[in-house]
Amino acid sequence: GRRCKRLLATDTFVMENDGQTIINETDTQRSIGKIDHGSLYFSGEDQKAETTSEEVSEPLMVNKTPQSLDKIMTKIGVGNFHWKLMAICGAGWTADNGWTQTIPLIIPSVQREFGVKDWQAGFLASSLFIGMAVGSHFWGRWADATGRKFAFNTTLLIAGVFGLAASMSVNFPMLIALYFTLGTGVGGNLPVDGAMFAEFTPRLARGRLLVALSVFWSLGGFLVSLIAWALIPSNSCAKNGACPWHANMGWRLVVGSFGVLNIVTVMLRVGLPETPAFLLLSGDVEGAQEVLRYMARQNDVGPQVRALIQNLTEEIKENQELGIEEASSASSSSSSCHQCLASVKKLFEGRHMYRTTLLLWGIWFCTTYAYTGFNVFLTRLLEAKNITTSNVYRDALLYSAAGVPGSLMGSRLVESALGRKWTMVISTGITACCMMLFYLVNNEAEVIAMSCLINVASMVMFAAYYTYTPEVYKTSVRGTGVGIASGLSRVSGGLAPLVFSG
């Protein structure tokens, strides 16, 4: 349904979209082409530029940044800047899964110390996930309106500070309140980090780098499980009898140490610049140019690329008037309820995006509901199968460790012939089957094997989700789209503990 053509006698680019014709003057090379299924073809040239839905909606408008900016990004390539960025963003993804994993590890000790009943235990996990839902929506919208950098640093700082405070809780309601608050930071961290990383990477390398980033998510669970295995068994009170706080320091040490790690990570993030894509959409061409030069220096590229940065950003600057007006309009009205709804409506533009958005939201909601229900009560499930306390934390560590090769496997599968879609379908089916089989086994070796299979398959599944979701949205709504999807997953994650504990 979309056709584009170049008027050869003029410098005018024409795009026909659903019966509407958009005319944009450019100085790009004359060509006649068409946009079809996300790929842009140029007649007279032996080339094909792969695009996502972002280019479908913004094909050759250099003032809107996609083609010119992606050309610069491709020339800069992937180098030292991106490996440092991956480590910094990866630490944020580590925090996301790490805080979730603290709950099944600390809940038995928390119940004994505060006298919490089984049906009440689910409120701790629910408070975290509800906080994540609030944070993912708020910070996703904030990042789209004001930039990625502030949200990038603040979200993880909230998680670290309030996580450290949670380790000093004097009662269960206080712990619930602090977990909700740190959840608002953790929930915003994942979509903002994903958008930040995606906008700093060349389009052709973005998929494999995003899925490599998901490995850090599984590392978060492994890291927390390792800390818990080392600290909780030897610093916990007995199952029977009094349980004063000074005899039950294990869970506090786990929560406090992970909060400190989050704060240290924030210190490492200081100095990372705003993304060039957002700067260009905001009309700050000089700022974007400086960031691109910094990336080029970090990746040690030659003077030809630095000259290309100068030439193409000058070209963008000459055509930025429309871009400034649109960015200013979007920013100035971001506080308006009407414009907030209008931004969400952009996620449903066209039949393809309408269907894609609804499917993604449903997938994130349902899979997180099932995974959270199993994961949050893993230690209780292991105890129910008569596994001793010391072995419970060992087995939980093995379960978390299995997620690391699962993420690595996912990073290969999404780039294989299976692609994103079939990787999601197959891994989700395997996860569901393994969860059902888990309840049928009782031997400890079989329990360990089945739980590890569940985590391997689920990490492949989430690696595909985390890779695919940011790719389908354009820059102007990427934070909103990923934020809402993540928020829905947090809502389902908040419901699951209440339902499973009841």
Side-chain angles (χ1 to χ4, degrees):
R2 300 183 181 182
R3 294 187 55 81
C4 304
K5 61 184 179 180
R6 175 79 174 190
L7 302 183
L8 299 180
T10 68
D11 286 331
T12 302
F13 178 81
V14 179
M15 181 178 73
E16 296 176 0
N17 182 14
D18 297 331
Q20 296 181 342
T21 300
I22 302 172
I23 300 178
N24 184 42
E25 293 187 358
T26 73
D27 54 3
T28 54
Q29 185 176 2
R30 287 172 178 160
S31 60
I32 301 175
K34 65 178 180 178
I35 295 177
D36 185 26
H37 300 298
S39 298
L40 182 62
Y41 297 85
F42 293 95
S43 64
E45 296 182 11
D46 186 19
Q47 61 175 332
K48 171 181 176 179
E50 294 185 358
T51 69
T52 63
S53 61
E54 178 170 332
E55 285 71 39
V56 173
S57 59
E58 300 174 304
L60 285 177
M61 301 182 184
V62 295
N63 56 296
K64 297 286 246 176
T65 78
Q67 192 176 11
S68 296
L69 178 59
D70 192 50
K71 184 176 181 181
I72 298 173
M73 290 287 198
T74 302
K75 291 293 184 181
I76 291 175
V78 177
N80 291 333
F81 175 84
H82 296 90
W83 305 133
K84 294 175 183 177
L85 179 68
M86 178 175 287
I88 292 172
C89 291
W93 285 38
T94 298
D96 182 275
N97 191 32
W99 283 115
T100 303
Q101 193 65 26
T102 60
I103 294 175
L105 296 170
I106 71 172
I107 200 66
S109 298
V110 168
Q111 284 188 266
R112 285 193 288 270
E113 180 176 336
F114 295 137
V116 178
K117 297 178 180 178
D118 287 343
W119 68 270
Q120 296 172 317
F123 285 106
L124 181 61
S126 295
S127 67
L128 176 66
F129 279 94
I130 292 170
M132 286 179 170
V134 173
S136 63
H137 179 71
F138 173 80
W139 288 111
R141 291 282 304 141
W142 181 286
D144 282 342
T146 65
R148 318 308 194 199
K149 184 178 178 180
F150 180 79
F152 182 70
N153 293 322
T154 305
T155 51
L156 197 57
L157 181 62
I158 292 172
V161 170
F162 286 93
L164 187 59
S167 68
M168 306 174 194
S169 299
V170 297
N171 53 47
F172 192 57
M174 181 179 176
L175 183 62
I176 288 175
L178 289 171
Y179 255 74
F180 168 83
T181 309
L182 76 85
T184 62
V186 177
N189 179 77
L190 191 69
V192 172
D193 280 22
M196 188 99 170
F197 189 79
E199 291 171 16
F200 269 122
T201 55
R203 190 169 309 283
L204 295 180
R206 187 175 296 166
R208 62 183 175 86
L209 291 177
L210 274 172
V211 79
L213 190 65
S214 68
V215 175
F216 286 89
W217 195 79
S218 58
L219 281 173
F222 172 74
L223 178 60
V224 170
S225 297
L226 183 62
I227 296 171
W229 183 47
L231 296 176
I232 292 182
S234 58
N235 294 280
S236 297
C237 50
K239 290 184 178 180
N240 300 316
C243 188
W245 69 270
H246 53 80
N248 197 41
M249 289 292 293
W251 74 267
R252 296 177 185 274
L253 293 172
V254 171
V255 174
S257 60
F258 200 63
V260 170
L261 287 175
N262 284 189
I263 295 172
V264 171
T265 302
V266 174
M267 296 177 183
L268 298 176
R269 292 184 171 203
V270 175
L272 191 70
E274 183 59 81
T275 67
F278 183 84
L279 290 172
L280 287 173
L281 285 172
S282 301
D284 187 2
V285 178
E286 289 80 6
Q289 189 178 71
E290 184 57 37
V291 172
L292 291 167
R293 285 173 178 165
Y294 172 74
M295 293 173 62
R297 288 194 301 269
Q298 289 284 303
N299 286 1
D300 196 25
V301 299
Q304 297 87 351
V305 176
R306 291 194 289 271
L308 176 65
I309 293 172
Q310 179 68 33
N311 294 337
L312 286 180
T313 49
E314 287 294 332
E315 174 186 328
I316 293 170
K317 188 174 182 180
E318 292 174 0
N319 293 277
Q320 74 172 22
E321 182 178 357
L322 177 61
I324 292 176
E325 291 174 359
E326 290 187 359
S328 174
S329 172
S331 178
S332 64
S333 58
S334 60
S335 61
S336 164
C337 227
H338 175 75
Q339 288 300 323
C340 178
L341 292 174
S343 179
V344 174
K345 285 180 180 178
K346 290 181 181 179
L347 303 175
F348 298 92
E349 289 180 347
R351 185 172 60 182
H352 172 73
M353 286 308 303
Y354 179 87
R355 183 178 62 179
T356 299
T357 296
L358 288 180
L359 285 174
L360 277 176
W361 289 0
I363 288 169
W364 278 70
F365 185 93
C366 295
T367 54
T368 305
Y369 178 86
Y371 177 78
T372 302
F374 178 84
N375 191 58
V376 166
F377 293 101
L378 176 64
T379 53
R380 303 305 301 269
L381 291 171
L382 293 175
E383 288 180 345
K385 292 182 181 292
N386 299 318
I387 297 175
T388 61
T389 301
S390 59
N391 287 346
V392 162
Y393 290 98
R394 182 205 64 190
D395 295 349
L397 176 63
L398 293 174
Y399 166 81
S400 299
V404 179
S407 293
L408 293 171
M409 187 185 301
S411 68
R412 299 296 300 270
L413 290 175
V414 295
E415 298 295 335
S416 69
L418 283 177
R420 276 71 158 153
K421 177 182 174 181
W422 285 106
T423 299
M424 287 190 286
V425 171
I426 295 172
S427 59
T428 303
I430 294 175
T431 302
C433 291
C434 289
M435 282 185 176
M436 289 187 287
L437 291 174
F438 178 86
Y439 289 95
L440 301 178
V441 298
N442 291 301
N443 178 275
E444 184 171 0
E446 294 174 346
V447 169
I448 294 172
M450 198 56 61
S451 63
C452 288
L453 281 174
I454 289 171
N455 211 22
V456 169
S458 62
M459 288 303 106
V460 174
M461 175 181 72
F462 284 119
Y465 295 160
Y466 289 141
T467 303
Y468 181 78
T469 306
E471 290 181 337
V472 299
Y473 294 119
K474 57 186 179 181
T475 302
S476 59
V477 294
R478 183 173 291 133
T480 301
V482 177
I484 293 177
S486 179
L488 287 171
S489 75
R490 308 308 189 184
V491 170
S492 67
L495 290 173
L498 296 177
V499 175
F500 280 61
S501 64

